[in-house]
Amino acid sequence: MEEQALRRIHRRLVVIITASFALTPIIGYSTAWFFTMIRSEQLASSEAVLLLALTTLVLPTSLYFYFKRYFQPLQEWQIRQTRHAPLPEELDQLLKNFSDNYWLFFLLYALLTPTLQHWIGLYPADQSAFASLSQFILLQLVIAILVGMPGYLYALALIGRLVEHNGFRQVHVSMQAKMLLVGGYIPLLTGTILLKYYWWRTQYLTGEVLLIWASLGLFAFALTILSIRSLKQSLQPVQELISGSGATNYEDMIRRLRPRSTDETGYIIQMLGRLFRRLGDQESHVHAIVDHAAEGIIVVNEQHEIETFNPAAENLFGFSSQEIRGKSLDWLLPDFILPCDETSLPHEELEVEGRHRTGYTIPMSMRISLMHNDDQLYFTCLIADISARKATEQMLLDAEERYRNLVETAHDLVWSMDREGCWTYLNDAVARIYGYSAEEMLFRHFNEFQAPESVQRDQAAMERVLEGQELLE
C-alpha cells in the first residue's frame, strides 16, 4: 500500500511539472497575440507552427522524461527502505536542487524561444528586431513565472509528501522565500502585465501610471518584508535550534523554545517547549531508575557492543562505564552467546559467569529483553550477583549429602510411608531386618510384610500417627 502511494506521488509530481511547462508557451503566445506582438498570419505560418510544436510538444515531453529520471533514484530508494530510514545526503541534495532545475527550464524557454522566433523573422514589421525581441523576452519571462509558480508550489507540496516518509537533512525552500515570491514578485509581475496591456491600449505611458505601478510594487514588497520579519521573529527559536548553535540537552532546548508571536507558529513553539519539558522529565526519571537500580543494567546494540552500563553494573563487575562502553558483551560474559533475533531470545532466567576486574569469575543471573529505537535493535540485560544464593545452595547440597550418608549407613531401619501406608523410603538396613531389598519393598503396602499377630497393633499405631500423636515403642 505504501509503495503504491509513493509511486502515485512521484507520478503526480512529474505530471504537474510537465503540465506547468506545457501551459507556458500556450498562454505566452496567446498573450503576445493579444498584445499584437505577433500577428495571426504569422502564427499560421509553417515556421510558427513548427516553433509552437517544438515548445508545446517536444520540450514538455523532454521535460517529462528528464524529471522522471531525475526523481527515479529517490523513488527506488524509498520503495526499498523502511519508512523511518533517514534520507541519504545525496538524495537530500537532489531534492534541494529541484528548484534550480525547475526554473532553469522556464528561463531557457523565455530566452531561447523568442530568440528562435525572431531569428526566423516572426516579429512586427513596424518595430526593430532588437526592441521586439526585448519586449517578447520580458513578456515570456513574466508569463513563465506566473504560469510556473502554481505548479512550483504544488510540486513543493508533493515533495513534502515524499519527505514525510523519510525526513530531510536541511531546509530546501524557506517559508520566507515562498512569502517573497507570492507576496512580492507575483503582484509586481501581474502589475507589469497590466502595464503592458495599458500601453497596448493607449500606445503611451504617463509618469503618473509608472509612478502608480512602482508604488504598488514597492507597497507589496514592503508588506511582504514586514510579514517575513514577523515570521522570522516567530521562527527564531526554531532557527537557533536547527542551526546547531549549542542546544545540546532538553534544558537548553526548553530555555530557547519560547514563543515570540501570538499566531499559530508561536503556539506550536510553545507546545514544542512543553513537549521537550515532558521528555526531559521522562529522561530524568529513566536515568534515576537506571542509576539507582539494584540490578546491573547493560544495554547492547546489534553489534553486541555495550552502550549503557549503570552504577550497579559498575559495582558488580568492578569496571567503570567509561572503561566498558564500546566493548563486546562477551568480553564481560565469556561463556555466553547473545541471540541474534527475537525468535531465539530466552524468556527464562539464565545463570552465567561474569568476569570481574580482579580476574575471578562471579556467578550471575541474567534476564534479556529486546527494544527497538530508530529501527535499531537493542538488547537490555538485567544482571544480578547470585554468589550468596549459589553458596546457600551448595550448603544445602552438602547437608543433604551428609544426611543421606548418615541415614544410608545407619544400623537401624529408617523408613517413610504415605498416608495410605505404602513405603516411600527405606534405608539399607531393611535387607538385614526384613530380608528384602529396598527396591522390592518401595511403593508397596506395609501389610504385605507384617506378621499376622501384629495386624491389630500396627493398625492402631497407624491411626495414632495419622492423628498426629507421637509414637514410641
Side-chain angles (χ1 to χ4, degrees):
M1 182 66 70
E2 185 170 338
E3 178 179 343
Q4 294 177 357
L6 285 171
R7 292 185 185 277
R8 187 162 54 249
I9 294 173
H10 278 274
R11 186 165 54 249
R12 190 182 304 171
L13 178 61
V14 176
V15 169
I16 197 66
I17 294 171
T18 307
S20 298
F21 188 80
L23 283 175
T24 301
I26 297 175
I27 297 177
Y29 274 92
S30 299
T31 306
W33 171 80
F34 183 74
F35 288 161
T36 66
M37 298 177 68
I38 187 170
R39 302 188 182 278
S40 301
E41 58 272 13
Q42 291 177 321
L43 285 175
S45 65
S46 59
E47 294 87 352
V49 171
L50 181 62
L51 182 62
L52 287 175
L54 175 67
T55 55
T56 58
L57 295 177
V58 179
L59 290 181
T61 302
S62 302
L63 185 75
Y64 173 84
F65 287 105
Y66 173 81
F67 276 103
K68 186 176 181 180
R69 189 171 65 252
Y70 183 83
F71 288 110
Q72 190 71 26
L74 176 64
Q75 177 181 347
E76 293 176 352
W77 183 86
Q78 286 186 314
I79 291 175
R80 290 196 310 267
Q81 300 298 319
T82 59
R83 182 180 178 87
H84 300 291
L87 197 65
E89 185 175 354
E90 61 273 12
L91 294 180
D92 188 74
Q93 188 64 36
L94 178 142
L95 290 179
K96 185 178 181 181
N97 294 337
F98 164 72
S99 297
D100 296 337
N101 284 270
Y102 181 88
W103 289 114
L104 178 62
F105 280 93
F106 285 88
L107 178 62
L108 291 175
Y109 159 78
L111 295 177
L112 295 179
T113 303
T115 303
L116 290 175
Q117 171 194 324
H118 282 68
W119 181 63
I120 60 178
L122 297 178
Y123 58 90
D126 56 347
Q127 290 186 0
S128 67
F130 178 76
S132 176
L133 176 62
S134 302
Q135 292 187 22
F136 206 89
I137 288 178
L138 178 61
L139 176 66
Q140 297 303 313
L141 187 60
V142 171
I143 294 296
I145 295 175
L146 289 176
V147 177
M149 188 60 67
Y152 174 67
L153 295 177
Y154 188 66
L156 290 181
L158 290 175
I159 290 176
R161 295 282 306 278
L162 290 177
V163 299
E164 171 191 350
H165 295 262
N166 303 99
F168 55 101
R169 296 174 178 268
Q170 55 187 326
V171 175
H172 296 161
V173 181
S174 67
M175 296 177 63
Q176 301 165 14
K178 291 181 182 179
M179 291 180 63
L180 191 62
L181 286 174
V182 176
Y185 287 112
I186 296 301
L188 180 64
L189 295 176
T190 305
T192 303
I193 292 292
L194 294 175
L195 191 67
K196 177 66 178 175
Y197 177 75
Y198 178 81
W199 174 82
W200 170 71
R201 296 289 294 178
T202 63
Q203 296 299 316
Y204 69 94
L205 290 174
T206 63
E208 291 84 354
V209 172
L210 291 175
L211 180 61
I212 292 174
W213 172 76
S215 299
L216 289 175
L218 290 175
F219 184 69
F221 268 99
L223 288 180
T224 304
I225 290 174
L226 288 175
S227 300
I228 290 175
R229 184 176 179 182
S230 176
L231 178 64
K232 187 175 181 180
Q233 176 181 319
S234 303
L235 293 175
Q236 187 173 355
V238 178
Q239 185 65 36
E240 290 176 355
L241 288 181
I242 64 178
S243 62
S245 54
T248 56
N249 51 52
Y250 286 125
E251 289 75 14
D252 198 8
M253 291 180 181
I254 294 169
R255 181 178 59 83
R256 292 171 181 267
L257 282 176
R258 301 193 179 194
R260 301 185 187 179
S261 65
T262 57
D263 54 12
E264 293 86 349
T265 304
Y267 184 74
I268 291 174
I269 291 176
Q270 179 177 274
M271 295 300 294
L272 282 175
R274 293 176 180 175
L275 175 62
F276 282 128
R277 184 176 291 107
R278 183 164 183 175
L279 290 175
D281 293 341
Q282 290 181 350
E283 185 181 38
S284 300
H285 185 62
V286 171
H287 277 302
I289 293 175
V290 172
D291 292 342
H292 296 89
E295 288 184 309
I297 300 177
I298 303 176
V299 179
V300 184
N301 59 24
E302 286 184 288
Q303 290 73 40
H304 298 180
E305 297 173 346
I306 299 173
E307 293 195 2
T308 300
F309 200 71
N310 75 332
E314 293 180 339
N315 295 332
L316 190 59
F317 290 93
F319 296 98
S320 66
S321 59
Q322 290 79 11
E323 293 176 300
I324 211 67
R325 190 175 291 118
K327 292 185 179 296
S328 178
L329 182 65
D330 57 15
W331 190 80
L332 280 179
L333 308 173
D335 299 329
F336 175 71
I337 299 177
L338 195 65
C340 299
D341 51 37
E342 192 169 0
T343 57
S344 57
L345 189 70
H347 298 287
E348 68 279 358
E349 180 181 287
L350 303 176
E351 291 188 2
V352 296
E353 288 190 347
R355 169 185 171 187
H356 193 268
R357 186 187 188 94
T358 55
Y360 62 85
T361 58
I362 306 174
M364 301 177 180
S365 67
M366 181 170 65
R367 297 190 302 274
I368 307 175
S369 60
L370 288 180
M371 67 177 181
H372 295 270
N373 186 18
D374 293 334
D375 289 331
Q376 297 292 321
L377 182 66
Y378 292 90
F379 299 89
T380 302
C381 305
L382 301 180
I383 299 180
D385 187 354
I386 57 172
S387 300
R389 190 180 82 186
K390 298 299 288 186
T392 302
E393 290 177 357
Q394 188 61 43
M395 289 175 61
L396 291 174
L397 290 175
D398 293 343
E400 182 181 358
E401 183 67 23
R402 288 195 298 271
Y403 172 76
R404 183 177 298 277
N405 291 335
L406 178 62
V407 170
E408 292 293 343
T409 58
H411 294 285
D412 296 329
L413 179 63
V414 181
W415 54 267
S416 64
M417 63 176 60
D418 57 21
R419 296 179 65 86
E420 284 71 28
C422 294
W423 303 104
T424 57
Y425 175 76
L426 292 159
N427 69 342
D428 292 340
V430 69
R432 179 175 53 81
I433 297 174
Y434 279 90
Y436 296 97
S437 67
E439 289 75 11
E440 291 178 294
M441 297 179 64
L442 279 176
F443 308 114
R444 295 170 65 180
H445 201 277
F446 75 89
N447 60 15
E448 297 182 34
F449 305 95
Q450 66 186 166
E453 64 272 13
S454 64
V455 172
Q456 294 182 352
R457 184 187 60 188
D458 292 346
Q459 185 65 34
M462 187 70 176
E463 291 175 357
R464 291 174 59 191
V465 171
L466 291 175
E467 290 174 357
Q469 300 181 25
E470 186 176 1
L471 180 62
L472 299 175
E473 293 289 347

